[in-house]
Amino acid sequence: MKVVNLKQAILQAWKERWSDYQWAINMKKFFPKGATWDILNLADALLEQAMIGPSPNPLILSYLKYAISSQFDDFSRDLCVQALLDIMDMFCDRLSCHGKAEECIGLCRALLSALHWLLRCTAASAERLREGLEAGTPAAGEKQLAMCLQRLEKTLSSTKNRALLHIAKLEEASSWTAIEHSLLKLGEILANLSNPQLRSQAEQCSTLIRSIPMMLSVHAEQMNKTGFPTVHAVILLEGTMNLTGETQSLVEQLTMVKRMQHIPTPLFVLEIWKACFVGLIESPEGTEELKWTAFTFLKIPQVLVKLKKYSHGDKDFTEDVNCAFEFLLKLTPLLDKADQRCNCDCTNFLLQECGKQGLLSEASVNSLMAKRKADREHAPQQKSGENANIQPNIQLILRAEPTVTNILKTMDADHSKSPEGLLGVLGHMLSGKSLDLLLAAAAATGKLKSFARKFINLNEFTTYGSEESTKPASVRALLFDISFLMLCHVAQTYGSEVILSESRTGADVPFFETWMQTCMPEEGKILNPDHPCFRPDSTKVESLVALLNNSSEMKLVQMKWHEACLSISAAILEILNAWENGVLAFESIQKITDNIKGKVCSLAVCAVAWLVAHVRMLGLDEREKSLQMIRQLAGPLFSENTLQFYNERVVIMNSILERMCADVLQQTATQIKFPSTGVDTMPYWNLLPPKRPIKEVLTDIFAKVLEKGWVDSRSIHIFDTLLHMGGVYWFCNNLIKELLKETRKEHALRAVELLYSIFCLDMQQVTLVLLGHILPGLLTDSSKWHSLMDPPGTALAKLAVWCALSSYSSHKGQASTRQKKRHREDIEDYISLFPLDDVQPSKLMRLLSSNEDDANILSSPTDRSMSSSLSASQLHTVNMRDPLNRVLANLFLLISSILGSRTAGPHTQFVQWFMEECVDCLEQGGRGSVLQFMPFTTVSELVKVSAMSSPKVVLAITDLSLPLGRQVAAKAIAAL
């Protein structure tokens, strides 16, 4: 019997049911003795569907297994090679397997092995062609090379095949290394070929093979959009409310937004600069303006330096920054307005800073400066006569940054050796706006906590002096007072978290930290005027009352200032009682208050701190004298017998007192006129309109923001106030209701971008509420399913995924200053709300200890119900007592349940959109992704949904870092 080729032999063997002996005799025409037919290994796995027919044929399997046991590495045997290539032609573009999970993994490995053989064969054919060309007989080699490349192209053009190869690469790293070596060898050989068609075909195949490891990280960027309100709002929020935040946290947040929204790098950097200039322009004069200046010119260049490390190459990122500046220079009205506000060429300073940080080449800096200079010649006149000699804040901030470093070094010196010299340095810091400049520069460069720590140490050092004369006593008093006032100012301007040390407890806690935590009024902090901290030793109180009432002025020698600060509250209570009972006249009260604020302003601060707590507890008719005493302490003292730097200290004191009293004055409808410095010390205070329900305010401000398309600083503060007043659930629930009202796609998507940035005010808590309460409520209540239809349903799915990804990527880090002030949910609340059937680790490991068990998990109906909640997170031993982990696990269990149910509707469509967004946002569903909380069984349910039945989706939603995850993915893809 004549057998033309191997394909015919296999088909004939099946029809005539050859015996093993007949098979062996006939196969000798194709197989030399003893080698590996990897290609037939693949055929073995796919014989049932790819080649033979609808039913398995054990006889043919035995034929092929005999063939597999032989060897073939001689690519010069044309008939053999052609037969194998013919077999590949039969199945390479229609692979499938409906067997067990380990069989599907076997298919992946076999395909990888086949690809390796095919590459070796291609290289051998190319080498043969080159030799033939040299000998003048190219025909045979060229034909075989064309056949090899055709099979390569056919195999690799299938996304399904590339997905299976992706899994195989993770299973067998050494085999993939061999493929990379074969690719290099093939490239070297083909580089010398003159046939451009074959060379081009080979290059396309090589590109496809090299793309396999990165097939999940390629996303199309949004080239049709020029504005990105989320980036804009995140920058505005950070610059307005979180200057002291970690640079790394901001970098990670921005990188997450860039990836989720697929923003091209030049437009991404441009949006950052645009937001910075808008922040500068709209910032209130005074401290806020200085903070924005420091944020833009000191912090953001550092942010970009870190973003550069996340990019693919230094050169590319530098070009992107240059491109962003080219775009920025076209926004002439914005730049002109910023220049007018800052009284200088802002772009010039910004370019200089970027040049210093290596973000732009010197040539780019010079070119961009020249363009802006030419453009400014046509701008409105920047300087008027009155401000021409005023130094711009940008210059002052840039100079302040090295000064901060020098002051920190000065503060490290031994205070006892030269206290007068240190006092001189601190005195200069108090003049004009020097202190706020230095603090802004320190905050923007991450040095503020160190700055505060130095002043706490100084404050501790000056609390008590033994055996001192008058001059050292006055220096000590001033050092105590200045350090105390500076620390109060820092706490009020940047948050008390900057002051608090992380590790100290009990007796180790410095005086100022103790006083600040227990006695200092802050927004949202309720103080008890009867707290033990306000009730010190009675003998010390009596001596302090006598000193204040009888002396013409405060004594300084051997004064224990920390004791005086702690005793002043009880002393004020005694004095207040005496005044109310007619024992003391108003003139005596004036003398006492003058004594309190006459030497050290910190005593007045401590006194008002207690009075604020006291007034809250009084009835309307009982408050007058307490408020009058606050007025007396806040008023100026006209006396020549004051200590050095008195006027400068009074300015800071009044700023502190105004902030302390703001809450209680609003609640008691009282006005106290604090001495004006010409600048609003509380620019974002009391923004809510009076006598309007806060829900109306919330819907109204969101509607305005949505109409504008971006969030401004004032709106951010209003949203923050509403979040604080209404609580996280109220805030999130009402804003989601507004989102679900949107019926136009472009409005719904804009609302998502804006809501995400608004939720950044407290992303962790908002995410817990959104994923743990609001979404489950919508998905399980059929009466609400209609609200999940497109476009609001798609928008909500997108928002939920963005929040989940952002919170999960950052929840192991530190909460920001603005978030720490709010109430943290009790972890027990989430454990009781979301109970999980925890799988015992020992049982779990037994379940996964063998391939047989793995297969059962994936195929046996009995075991499937038992392990329906098994997810990658459990194999990674993720802490399920963490509220966010628990909420994510329960949400994915709910999603799995919806997909497995027989009831279809908008809620099932919503689940599909949610999963699609997860795939779109994630580079790969590996360890550390929110998708690790999805049960493995969900994959098989998802691929039944037409939009999700693609190999890339399966790879993206499965944890491929786990052997079980790879089996799940292989089984799902092989069945597509």
Side-chain angles (χ1 to χ4, degrees):
M1 184 189 103
K2 186 177 179 182
V3 181
V4 177
N5 59 36
L6 182 58
K7 180 166 78 172
Q8 288 182 355
I10 292 173
L11 293 173
Q12 193 170 349
W14 178 65
K15 288 175 185 173
E16 298 179 10
R17 300 186 67 77
W18 288 352
S19 67
D20 285 359
Y21 177 73
Q22 287 173 300
W23 169 260
I25 293 297
N26 281 285
M27 288 302 102
K28 280 180 183 176
K29 295 178 182 179
F30 300 101
F31 302 148
K33 234 177 178 182
T36 298
W37 284 80
D38 291 329
I39 196 76
L40 293 179
N41 189 1
L42 178 61
D44 185 9
L46 299 172
L47 197 56
E48 176 186 345
Q49 298 220 344
M51 294 196 303
I52 301 302
S55 59
N57 190 318
L59 189 63
I60 293 299
L61 288 177
S62 71
Y63 298 160
L64 292 177
K65 281 172 185 172
Y66 174 85
I68 288 163
S69 67
S70 62
Q71 274 266 338
F72 180 69
D73 259 334
D74 185 359
F75 294 110
S76 64
R77 297 172 66 90
D78 292 348
L79 274 179
C80 292
V81 170
Q82 188 175 338
L84 287 169
L85 292 174
D86 284 346
I87 290 181
M88 284 207 78
D89 213 23
M90 295 170 68
F91 59 70
C92 65
D93 60 344
R94 51 195 179 100
L95 298 178
S96 60
C97 178
H98 295 273
K100 292 181 178 181
E102 61 265 27
E103 292 171 350
C104 298
I105 284 289
L107 166 61
C108 297
R109 288 175 174 149
L111 183 57
L112 187 67
S113 187
L115 176 65
H116 189 206
W117 179 85
L118 197 49
L119 282 171
R120 292 192 346 258
C121 185
T122 306
S125 304
E127 184 67 38
R128 205 168 145 201
L129 172 59
R130 190 174 67 180
E131 290 169 358
L133 285 169
E134 291 170 359
T137 55
E142 190 167 358
K143 182 185 176 185
Q144 188 167 303
L145 178 59
M147 287 176 65
C148 288
L149 288 172
Q150 186 186 356
R151 270 47 167 204
L152 259 180
E153 197 170 39
K154 193 174 179 181
T155 303
L156 294 167
S157 61
S158 161
T159 307
K160 179 177 177 179
N161 286 358
R162 295 202 305 277
L164 293 172
L165 287 167
H166 185 87
I167 295 168
K169 171 194 172 292
L170 298 172
E171 282 284 313
E172 297 185 351
S174 58
S175 298
W176 187 257
T177 305
I179 280 178
E180 288 175 331
H181 287 316
S182 297
L183 266 181
L184 287 171
K185 185 180 177 184
L186 179 61
E188 289 167 5
I189 297 169
L190 289 171
N192 300 316
L193 287 184
S194 57
N195 188 323
Q197 186 180 349
L198 289 176
R199 198 162 64 242
S200 171
Q201 200 175 0
E203 284 169 0
Q204 287 175 8
C205 292
S206 297
T207 302
L208 282 172
I209 292 171
R210 289 192 177 96
S211 73
I212 288 169
M214 289 91 69
M215 66 185 299
L216 293 178
S217 58
V218 180
H219 292 293
E221 291 184 328
Q222 294 194 62
M223 302 307 293
N224 58 335
K225 278 185 72 175
T226 55
F228 299 93
T230 308
V231 177
H232 189 98
V234 166
I235 291 294
L236 274 177
L237 190 147
E238 287 292 311
T240 305
M241 305 184 73
N242 199 29
L243 181 60
T244 57
E246 288 285 335
T247 304
Q248 185 61 31
S249 301
L250 177 56
V251 168
E252 287 169 4
Q253 189 178 18
L254 287 170
T255 305
M256 177 71 73
V257 172
K258 182 180 185 293
R259 194 177 81 209
M260 291 190 302
Q261 298 188 18
H262 312 308
I263 306 173
T265 304
L267 296 181
F268 175 65
V269 176
L270 172 65
E271 198 65 48
I272 291 173
W273 291 137
K274 279 164 61 180
C276 286
F277 279 112
V278 169
L280 272 173
I281 291 164
E282 67 178 23
S283 61
E285 192 181 346
T287 306
E288 292 300 314
E289 184 184 355
L290 295 178
K291 286 163 75 172
W292 258 108
T293 307
F295 180 76
T296 303
F297 295 92
L298 292 179
K299 188 166 186 175
I300 289 298
Q302 290 299 323
V303 167
L304 290 179
V305 168
K306 286 182 180 280
L307 282 169
K308 186 177 179 180
K309 293 175 184 174
Y310 282 77
S311 66
H312 297 299
D314 285 1
K315 188 179 178 184
D316 291 343
F317 191 80
T318 304
E319 287 171 3
D320 288 336
V321 172
N322 184 60
C323 185
F325 270 110
E326 293 281 3
F327 289 145
L328 183 66
L329 291 184
K330 293 174 183 175
L331 304 176
T332 309
L334 177 72
L335 300 185
D336 288 348
K337 200 163 185 179
D339 289 356
Q340 202 168 9
R341 173 67 200 272
C342 298
N343 192 28
C344 65
D345 184 350
C346 297
T347 314
N348 195 304
F349 282 109
L350 201 53
L351 288 168
Q352 286 180 36
E353 287 306 303
C354 288
K356 286 178 194 172
Q357 299 296 340
L359 296 166
L360 286 171
S361 66
E362 190 178 345
S364 296
V365 170
N366 293 334
S367 169
L368 292 164
M369 279 182 177
K371 287 179 183 177
R372 178 59 187 154
K373 185 180 178 182
D375 206 18
R376 285 187 91 221
E377 289 175 4
H378 307 290
Q381 189 66 28
Q382 297 294 327
K383 290 186 177 182
S384 63
E386 63 184 45
N387 67 6
N389 297 320
I390 298 173
Q391 279 195 312
N393 282 334
I394 299 171
Q395 266 187 322
L396 296 173
I397 280 286
L398 293 174
R399 284 182 196 162
E401 195 247 339
T403 308
V404 169
T405 308
N406 292 333
I407 289 172
L408 289 174
K409 287 177 184 174
T410 303
M411 297 289 290
D412 281 332
D414 186 349
H415 305 316
S416 61
K417 289 182 179 176
S418 58
E420 291 85 359
L422 180 59
L423 181 60
V425 172
L426 300 187
H428 285 299
M429 285 175 63
L430 297 179
S431 60
K433 54 185 178 184
S434 297
L435 179 59
D436 283 326
L437 275 167
L438 291 166
L439 293 180
T445 52
K447 295 171 185 167
L448 189 58
K449 201 165 182 71
S450 175
F451 205 79
R453 184 62 32 211
K454 307 288 185 194
F455 279 97
I456 283 178
N457 292 340
L458 174 62
N459 189 262
E460 282 291 288
F461 169 75
T462 55
T463 53
Y464 175 64
S466 58
E467 298 181 8
E468 61 183 353
S469 60
T470 305
K471 188 178 178 184
S474 64
V475 171
R476 185 172 62 84
L478 280 167
L479 289 175
F480 175 86
D481 200 39
I482 291 171
S483 59
F484 187 95
L485 293 172
M486 281 184 175
L487 289 166
C488 285
H489 185 63
V490 168
Q492 288 183 333
T493 311
Y494 294 98
S496 54
E497 288 73 22
V498 178
I499 305 293
L500 297 174
S501 52
E502 291 160 7
S503 56
R504 300 193 191 186
T505 55
D508 292 335
V509 180
F511 153 71
F512 184 82
E513 282 190 41
T514 305
W515 179 85
M516 184 185 70
Q517 287 180 289
T518 53
C519 306
M520 183 175 172
E522 288 182 277
E523 185 187 354
K525 185 162 105 179
I526 304 299
L527 296 173
N528 174 12
D530 298 321
H531 189 279
C533 76
F534 294 123
R535 294 285 174 270
D537 185 354
S538 58
T539 56
K540 292 175 183 174
V541 174
E542 286 171 13
S543 62
L544 182 59
V545 170
L547 185 67
L548 294 171
N549 193 28
N550 300 326
S551 302
S552 58
E553 61 180 49
M554 196 77 176
K555 76 162 190 171
L556 303 176
V557 178
Q558 295 185 14
M559 186 65 158
K560 297 180 180 178
W561 292 112
H562 64 297
E563 288 185 2
C565 285
L566 290 173
S567 303
I568 194 71
S569 52
I572 289 288
L573 178 59
E574 295 274 337
I575 294 162
L576 200 57
N577 286 336
W579 185 19
E580 286 173 343
N581 292 314
V583 176
L584 289 176
F586 180 65
E587 291 74 18
S588 300
I589 298 300
Q590 280 183 311
K591 178 185 154 189
I592 288 168
T593 53
D594 284 351
N595 267 339
I596 291 172
K597 66 188 179 186
K599 296 290 184 185
V600 289
C601 298
S602 42
L603 277 183
V605 171
C606 295
V608 172
W610 178 81
L611 283 166
V612 165
H614 180 65
V615 168
R616 284 180 189 273
M617 305 298 172
L618 299 177
L620 283 171
D621 56 341
E622 300 172 316
R623 294 171 175 167
E624 179 53 37
K625 283 190 167 52
S626 297
L627 292 169
Q628 202 165 345
M629 191 171 275
I630 292 175
R631 283 192 190 92
Q632 287 298 120
L633 288 166
L637 175 69
F638 301 104
S639 170
E640 294 180 4
N641 193 20
T642 55
L643 293 178
Q644 205 175 356
F645 308 117
Y646 185 72
N647 292 336
E648 291 85 352
R649 287 182 288 128
V650 165
V651 169
I652 299 175
M653 178 190 79
N654 281 320
S655 164
I656 294 165
L657 297 186
E658 187 174 356
R659 285 172 179 263
M660 275 186 175
C661 298
D663 264 344
V664 77
L665 294 181
Q666 185 186 41
Q667 288 163 13
T668 58
T670 307
Q671 284 192 339
I672 292 180
K673 188 168 178 60
F674 292 90
S676 174
T677 57
V679 173
D680 186 359
T681 55
M682 301 177 65
Y684 294 115
W685 173 254
N686 201 17
L687 294 175
L688 298 187
K691 299 179 182 178
R692 253 191 102 187
I694 57 171
K695 185 178 177 183
E696 275 184 30
V697 178
L698 180 66
T699 53
D700 184 50
I701 191 69
F702 181 66
K704 286 177 181 174
V705 161
L706 192 57
E707 188 181 349
K708 278 197 304 186
W710 56 284
V711 186
D712 57 57
S713 301
R714 189 175 183 278
S715 301
I716 286 172
H717 278 272
I718 293 174
F719 281 121
D720 190 55
T721 305
L722 291 168
L723 173 58
H724 190 77
M725 290 177 73
V728 180
Y729 180 82
W730 174 88
F731 184 78
C732 183
N733 190 41
N734 281 302
L735 285 174
I736 294 300
K737 284 178 183 176
E738 293 304 304
L739 171 64
L740 294 177
K741 290 176 187 175
E742 293 301 331
T743 54
R744 291 176 59 185
K745 186 175 181 179
E746 62 271 25
H747 280 194
L749 290 176
R750 187 194 297 170
V752 168
E753 291 181 327
L754 294 169
L755 279 175
Y756 171 82
S757 54
I758 292 164
F759 287 170
C760 286
L761 285 166
D762 199 346
M763 183 58 80
Q764 291 291 319
Q765 293 295 300
V766 168
T767 303
L768 289 175
V769 164
L770 178 59
L771 305 186
H773 294 273
I774 295 170
L775 277 191
L778 290 168
L779 291 171
T780 54
D781 186 347
S782 57
S783 67
K784 295 177 181 174
W785 287 351
H786 68 279
S787 65
L788 295 175
M789 295 176 73
D790 195 31
T794 319
L796 179 58
K798 188 182 285 287
L799 178 63
V801 171
W802 288 4
C803 290
L805 294 179
S806 297
S807 290
Y808 190 73
S809 68
S810 65
H811 87 296
K812 292 180 177 64
Q814 292 294 315
S816 73
T817 305
R818 64 179 181 274
Q819 293 170 3
K820 285 179 180 175
K821 291 181 182 177
R822 266 183 277 282
H823 167 67
R824 304 289 94 200
E825 296 284 353
D826 188 345
I827 192 169
E828 296 301 328
D829 295 347
Y830 280 89
I831 291 173
S832 59
L833 276 169
F834 307 113
L836 279 176
D837 296 326
D838 294 320
V839 180
Q840 293 294 325
S842 56
K843 183 180 177 183
L844 192 63
M845 295 320 293
R846 279 204 310 276
L847 201 64
L848 303 171
S849 59
S850 70
N851 286 336
E852 297 299 322
D853 288 334
D854 288 349
N856 288 339
I857 289 171
L858 304 175
S859 58
S860 163
T862 312
D863 284 346
R864 188 180 162 195
S865 62
M866 177 187 71
S867 62
S868 61
S869 65
L870 179 63
S871 68
S873 63
Q874 289 166 294
L875 304 189
H876 289 312
T877 59
V878 170
N879 174 21
M880 293 312 294
R881 288 185 62 80
D882 181 279
L884 182 60
N885 293 347
R886 211 164 186 84
V887 163
L888 284 167
N890 279 281
L891 179 63
F892 278 106
L893 280 176
L894 177 59
I895 285 172
S896 186
S897 169
I898 290 169
L899 287 169
S901 71
R902 296 180 181 180
T903 308
H907 65 307
T908 50
Q909 185 69 57
F910 176 87
V911 165
Q912 180 188 320
W913 292 327
F914 184 90
M915 296 305 298
E916 283 175 354
E917 190 61 31
C918 282
V919 172
D920 193 45
C921 290
L922 289 170
E923 291 186 28
Q924 183 171 331
R927 184 169 187 169
S929 150
V930 295
L931 286 171
Q932 68 177 311
F933 295 96
M934 182 184 72
F936 286 119
T937 51
T938 310
V939 178
S940 58
E941 298 293 345
L942 268 175
V943 293
K944 294 174 186 174
V945 180
S946 58
M948 304 295 284
S949 58
S950 83
K952 275 193 175 184
V953 168
V954 174
L955 289 182
I957 63 177
T958 317
D959 190 341
L960 299 177
S961 67
L962 293 169
L964 183 56
R966 294 195 288 273
Q967 288 190 21
V968 170
K971 189 174 190 299
I973 292 169
L976 290 173

